[in-house]
Amino acid sequence: MNWSQELLLSAIWLGKAFAITLVCSLLAGWSLLHFSRWGRQFWRLSGDLFRPSLNGWRPVLSLLVIVLLTLSGVRLNVLFSRWYNEMYTSLQKLDAKLFWASILIFAILATVHVSRILLNTYLSQGFLIRWREWLNERLLTRWLDHQAYYRSEHLAKPADNPDQRIQQDIASFVNSSLSLSMGVIGSLVSIFEFTLILWGLSGTLALLGVEVPRGMVFAVYLYVIIATVFAFRIGRPLIMLNFLNEKLGADYRYALVRLREYSESIAFYGGEAVEGSTLRLRFAKIISNAWAIVFRTLKFSGFNLTISQTAAIFPFVIQAPRFFAKQISLGDMIQTANAFGELQDGLSFFRSAYDEFAGFKAVLDRLTGFLDAVEGAAALPTPRVRDHARRVELQNVSIRTPAGRVLLDCATMHVNAESSMLIRGPSGSGKTTLLRAIAGLWPYCDGVILHPHDVLFLSQKPYLPLGSLRAALCYPHPATGNEAVSEALEAVHLGHLQSRLDEEADWSHILSLGEQQRLAFGRLLLAAPAVAFLDEATSAMDEELEDTLYRLVRERLPHTALVSVGHRSTLLVHHAQILQLDGKGGWQLATINS
């Protein structure tokens, strides 16, 4: 065998194979995009990554290089197959010179093989990291844009565990997409190459008295096709089982997070038994599904292993009569077994990787379900909220529950700068919902809402981001190191925390609810918005402290309009108007006499 000529032919082969693979991949991609749900789901998630007009040529070129390296791996397998023939032939002929020449060729092929694997690993991992980074940014942006993370909760079927879909499913998607696509390309090219090799080595196969020329080639195709049909029938339930495995695992983690989030309330109630029952029930579902996966995988893997082990001896059994009749050499027989194994592996790729395809399908469904939720949130009605330089104004505003019950009917009113309004009413009358509508968060409302762009909402349980106390105090603006931060902390009676301003912790678990509400008032003093909306923002304070903080705000922020929700009569003295809701659509606006 002339190896220098073989290497030259390999370079030519690579060029042809790459061109053919590229054309076939484009045609297959076009067909999948137009006729396959999988293709449409994939393109919906990552199609923009491969548009040079949007992301340049780097992703496309990186993928083409990975394809070329995959084809190189196939060609190296072909060369190794021919090397096996030459090496075993040298042993059969006791040809020492040919044997040592074969060892030298092996060293060269092995060096190229190892280098190709290392380079392919580096380029593939780099491509996956950049792909994951791009997709994470895309989905995270869509999740945050237009407050989809909040508005999607109003959908009839919101996406479960969106945090897992962003964090875990993206990684699974990009890894499986590349490994499966390269596996398909490698398998198809291997099938073609090793079919040619086996065609040349195969003789006549006698079957039930009928002689079939090149019978081994037909036998391996028939063998694998039948095995694949049975494997698909055995492995089909794995798609749903993998989907449930991800969902049930995420549900269990969410329940554990809630246990930590509400640990104090649960401890006060002594609710360990109830929580334990809930957690054990969710975990039991995971275990039940895990056992279902185990039993189904045992059936699937057992079938595949049986097929593979049978295939290992099949070519030797077929070629043995020709070998003992000295029609073929030992090298031919070994190469036949090698080519048969490579061809069988290529044909069996879809059968062997069925569980990975099942997992990939589950991930596709979860990520496209996430996009459905984002798009569904964007399609919800949006309140007509517009900027107004000086005041808050409602023009014929009507607010409904998702079920259609009217909470506020055709309300028209305004709150001027430097003025204030207290919203009151029985529980469930729509006080907080009115604030949500003013903020543009509540989709079930009509009319026009006007308010300045510069507003701040203080809720009953303030949000404290992870990080330093300084960052929590300045939120949603970047943390600053000026004296105003310390002064604001002192003003809201939290001066004892000044030494911990730059300490990073989960402050929502360190500060009491009353301290958190005081911190929110410090946040209000620093932000100095045109309008402040306070939703039961002093519920955890005593009346004296409540009075002190309202007077502080009025003194420090005289031009800020205040809109408060609260039940306490002590709030009346701090507001100029009162809006009374009855929860049936009726409302009454009155001026409070100071």
Side-chain angles (χ1 to χ4, degrees):
M1 182 182 295
N2 190 332
W3 281 99
S4 59
Q5 184 180 6
E6 190 66 35
L7 292 176
L8 177 61
L9 291 174
S10 295
I12 297 173
W13 178 91
L14 269 180
K16 292 180 178 179
F18 181 72
I20 294 172
T21 300
L22 184 58
V23 172
C24 292
S25 297
L26 290 174
L27 292 174
W30 182 87
S31 300
L32 287 173
L33 180 60
H34 287 80
F35 303 109
S36 167
R37 183 169 179 242
W38 286 37
R40 290 191 296 271
Q41 287 179 304
F42 175 86
W43 194 254
R44 184 181 174 192
L45 287 166
S46 289
D48 287 346
L49 177 67
F50 301 101
R51 295 181 188 270
S53 58
L54 296 177
N55 292 287
W57 285 96
R58 183 174 183 177
V60 175
L61 293 177
S62 297
L63 185 60
L64 291 179
V65 172
I66 293 170
V67 170
L68 184 61
L69 289 172
T70 300
L71 296 175
S72 301
V74 175
R75 187 59 185 177
L76 280 170
N77 286 337
V78 171
L79 295 179
F80 273 117
S81 174
R82 294 179 180 176
W83 174 83
Y84 275 113
N85 190 328
E86 184 174 281
M87 197 270 289
Y88 278 98
T89 298
S90 70
L91 291 175
Q92 184 182 23
K93 294 180 177 179
L94 301 178
D95 189 336
K97 183 178 179 181
L98 181 59
F99 173 79
W100 291 113
S102 299
I103 295 300
L104 177 61
I105 294 298
F106 175 81
I108 296 173
L109 292 177
T111 301
V112 175
H113 179 61
V114 171
S115 300
R116 185 203 69 84
I117 290 177
L118 294 177
L119 180 60
N120 186 59
T121 300
Y122 171 74
L123 293 178
S124 297
Q125 292 303 310
F127 178 72
L128 289 174
I129 290 171
R130 288 189 292 272
W131 188 355
R132 182 180 177 184
E133 183 180 20
W134 175 87
L135 187 55
N136 179 82
E137 179 60 29
R138 181 171 184 260
L139 295 190
L140 187 61
T141 298
R142 296 194 65 177
W143 190 229
L144 294 174
D145 279 355
H146 307 296
Q147 298 169 326
Y149 60 92
Y150 174 80
R151 289 170 58 84
S152 63
E153 295 177 4
H154 299 300
L155 296 172
K157 293 183 179 180
D160 64 272
N161 306 296
D163 50 319
Q164 182 204 21
R165 301 193 188 204
I166 293 177
Q167 184 270 326
Q168 181 176 323
D169 289 342
I170 286 177
S172 299
F173 169 73
V174 297
N175 283 310
S176 295
S177 293
L178 187 63
S179 64
L180 290 174
S181 59
M182 293 304 107
V184 169
I185 290 174
S187 296
L188 293 177
V189 177
S190 292
I191 289 171
F192 178 78
E193 280 294 300
F194 285 100
T195 296
L196 294 179
I197 292 174
L198 197 61
W199 187 267
L201 293 170
S202 179
T204 300
L205 176 64
L207 186 63
L208 299 176
V210 179
E211 293 188 346
V212 182
R214 315 293 181 182
M216 186 179 293
V217 177
F218 299 106
V220 67
Y221 273 86
L222 184 63
Y223 180 79
V224 172
I225 289 172
I226 294 174
T228 301
V229 170
F230 279 98
F232 278 13
R233 292 180 63 88
I234 296 172
R236 182 179 296 274
L238 284 171
I239 295 178
M240 180 53 66
L241 290 173
N242 278 296
F243 182 89
L244 288 175
N245 186 56
E246 297 295 335
K247 181 182 183 302
L248 295 174
D251 289 344
Y252 182 58
R253 286 194 299 272
Y254 179 67
L256 289 171
V257 170
R258 281 180 59 84
L259 176 65
R260 185 179 62 182
E261 186 73 18
Y262 295 96
S263 58
E264 185 177 63
S265 298
I266 294 169
F268 271 121
Y269 278 113
E272 294 82 8
V274 176
E275 296 300 321
S277 176
T278 300
L279 290 170
R280 291 185 182 95
L281 179 61
R282 293 197 173 195
F283 185 69
K285 291 180 180 179
I286 295 176
I287 295 301
S288 176
N289 191 71
W291 279 115
I293 291 176
V294 167
F295 291 133
R296 181 56 56 173
T297 302
L298 283 174
K299 294 177 183 178
F300 183 69
S301 298
F303 180 79
N304 279 339
L305 287 171
T306 301
I307 295 298
S308 298
Q309 292 302 309
T310 304
I313 62 169
F314 187 78
F316 290 102
V317 172
I318 298 300
Q319 290 286 61
R322 298 183 68 209
F323 175 74
F324 291 122
K326 297 183 179 180
Q327 295 176 358
I328 57 173
S329 67
L330 177 62
D332 289 335
M333 190 170 185
I334 296 297
Q335 188 180 13
T336 299
N338 177 264
F340 186 94
E342 292 286 349
L343 179 56
Q344 191 262 344
D345 287 344
L347 289 170
S348 301
F349 174 76
F350 292 98
R351 172 175 57 83
S352 302
Y354 189 82
D355 54 343
E356 190 175 353
F357 275 106
F360 180 63
K361 181 63 169 64
V363 168
L364 267 181
D365 289 341
R366 290 180 60 77
L367 287 178
T368 51
F370 174 85
L371 287 182
D372 289 339
V374 171
E375 292 168 2
L380 287 173
T382 302
R384 287 183 287 172
V385 180
R386 302 173 185 170
D387 287 345
H388 191 288
R390 297 293 298 166
R391 66 182 185 180
V392 178
E393 183 175 349
L394 277 62
Q395 299 176 359
N396 295 318
V397 172
S398 296
I399 300 175
R400 306 175 302 280
T401 66
R405 182 169 68 90
V406 177
L407 298 174
L408 186 68
D409 189 28
C410 295
T412 298
M413 64 192 74
H414 65 267
V415 182
N416 292 321
E418 304 179 10
S419 186
S420 55
M421 175 190 288
L422 176 63
I423 305 173
R424 304 186 74 184
S427 179
S429 59
K431 302 183 296 297
T432 299
T433 303
L434 175 56
L435 294 190
R436 291 171 180 158
I438 294 174
L441 301 178
W442 192 252
Y444 309 104
C445 66
D446 303 306
V448 177
I449 300 170
L450 306 174
H451 64 67
H453 178 72
D454 183 17
V455 299
L456 189 70
F457 285 80
L458 274 65
S459 62
Q460 184 175 10
K461 183 172 175 56
Y463 171 67
L464 304 185
L466 297 175
S468 67
L469 183 62
R470 184 188 303 275
L473 185 59
C474 296
Y475 189 85
H477 304 292
T480 61
N482 54 35
E483 296 181 1
V485 174
S486 298
E487 185 182 349
L489 203 63
E490 187 72 40
V492 296
H493 299 253
L494 292 174
H496 60 283
L497 295 174
Q498 287 202 35
S499 61
R500 304 177 69 182
L501 268 172
D502 295 309
E503 180 181 330
E504 297 201 0
D506 186 354
W507 289 98
S508 62
H509 286 89
I510 295 175
L511 303 180
S512 68
L513 181 56
E515 288 175 320
Q516 293 178 44
Q517 290 183 346
R518 277 184 270 164
L519 189 75
F521 270 85
R523 185 182 292 170
L524 174 58
L525 295 178
L526 290 174
V531 182
F533 297 92
L534 295 84
D535 183 12
E536 300 280 3
T538 57
S539 61
M541 304 180 194
D542 57 60
E543 293 179 357
E544 182 180 353
L545 182 56
E546 175 188 78
D547 180 74
T548 299
L549 291 182
Y550 262 95
R551 292 184 185 279
L552 176 67
V553 171
R554 197 72 285 170
E555 175 188 338
R556 297 281 186 91
L557 307 175
H559 302 295
T560 296
L562 297 180
V563 179
S564 301
V565 169
H567 294 91
R568 289 179 179 175
S569 58
T570 51
L571 291 172
L572 293 171
V573 69
H574 301 292
H575 298 84
Q577 296 175 292
I578 180 170
L579 174 63
Q580 186 72 35
L581 306 180
D582 63 11
K584 300 177 182 178
W587 56 277
Q588 186 176 1
L589 182 65
T591 301
I592 301 175
N593 296 321
S594 302

